[in-house]
Amino acid sequence: TTPTPTPTSTAAPVDIRVYVDYLSTEAREFQVANAEQLSKWVDEDAAKLTYYPVAMLTSKSNGTKYSLRAAGASACVATHASDRFFAFNHELLTNQPAVDSEGYSDQQLADMAQGAGVSDVATVRSCIEDETYTGWAKAATDRAIKGLPDTKGLALTTLPTVLVNGTPYVGHMDDPKEFAQFVLTIDSNAYYSTATPTPTPSATPTATPAG
């Protein structure tokens, strides 16, 4: 049976989902530009942030299937050291290998996970080097290409795909102010759509006949 990593999340009013391929240059741009404010929103319980590793660029690494292996490696960290997932995810995105290069080896990916501070180093290293979750990563990618859950018929076609309360962000990936404004707009719309005021009925006036 193909193992499935256990996701972790925090409850918060704004739901931000980010579908990333660790070989996508625009995914790197989004992470570099927005990591600080995303971290701040999560720390303040203003947002629920979930990353979904996918492997759409598996063929862009000289036959090493880097995207697939990196996505599988992130699933290993999410499963065995969930508290260090964001650090590892950030490392994979910001220190991204070039497209059409061989990317990092499984041993190097395990070293990066260790550098991100995972506690059970042996288990995480074994998971990454054995490519335990590459099958899961491929299946997750295939599902996302067919359709994204909790959306109105959206499917994964571009990288990264960033959803805020189910609405795709189509602005500049390297502009944190534009993304913050989008989040604020979506959040305001969500608030007002669920907080529509109910009119209070007034007393019916009684007419007094003249004369």
Side-chain angles (χ1 to χ4, degrees), residues 1 33 39 42 45 53 69 105 129 151 157 164 172 180:
T1 303
S39 178
V42 171
D45 289 333
R69 293 186 296 105
S105 67
E129 293 183 352
T151 64
T157 58
V164 179
H172 294 92

Side-chain angles (χ1 to χ4, degrees), residues 153-176:
L154 293 177
L156 182 66
T157 58
T158 59
L159 294 167
T161 290
V162 184
L163 303 174
V164 179
N165 287 357
T167 302
Y169 173 63
V170 294
H172 294 92
M173 293 297 169
D174 59 354
D175 188 339

Side-chain angles (χ1 to χ4, degrees), residues 136-162:
W136 168 85
K138 184 180 186 306
T141 303
D142 292 342
R143 286 194 301 270
I145 291 172
K146 293 177 182 177
L148 300 176
D150 303 319
T151 64
K152 297 178 180 179
L154 293 177
L156 182 66
T157 58
T158 59
L159 294 167
T161 290
V162 184

Side-chain angles (χ1 to χ4, degrees), residues 75-174:
C76 287
V77 174
T79 301
H80 299 294
S82 60
D83 61 321
R84 304 312 301 161
F85 171 79
F86 286 127
F88 184 58
N89 175 76
H90 184 75
E91 179 72 10
L92 288 178
L93 287 170
T94 56
N95 288 313
Q96 185 182 89
V99 175
D100 293 322
S101 71
E102 294 183 359
Y104 299 116
S105 67
D106 289 338
Q107 182 178 357
Q108 288 173 315
L109 288 170
D111 291 342
M112 293 167 72
Q114 183 172 348
V118 301
S119 54
D120 192 345
V121 174
T123 298
V124 172
R125 178 173 293 278
S126 176
C127 182
I128 292 174
E129 293 183 352
D130 291 344
E131 299 186 5
T132 302
Y133 285 115
T134 55
W136 168 85
K138 184 180 186 306
T141 303
D142 292 342
R143 286 194 301 270
I145 291 172
K146 293 177 182 177
L148 300 176
D150 303 319
T151 64
K152 297 178 180 179
L154 293 177
L156 182 66
T157 58
T158 59
L159 294 167
T161 290
V162 184
L163 303 174
V164 179
N165 287 357
T167 302
Y169 173 63
V170 294
H172 294 92
M173 293 297 169
D174 59 354

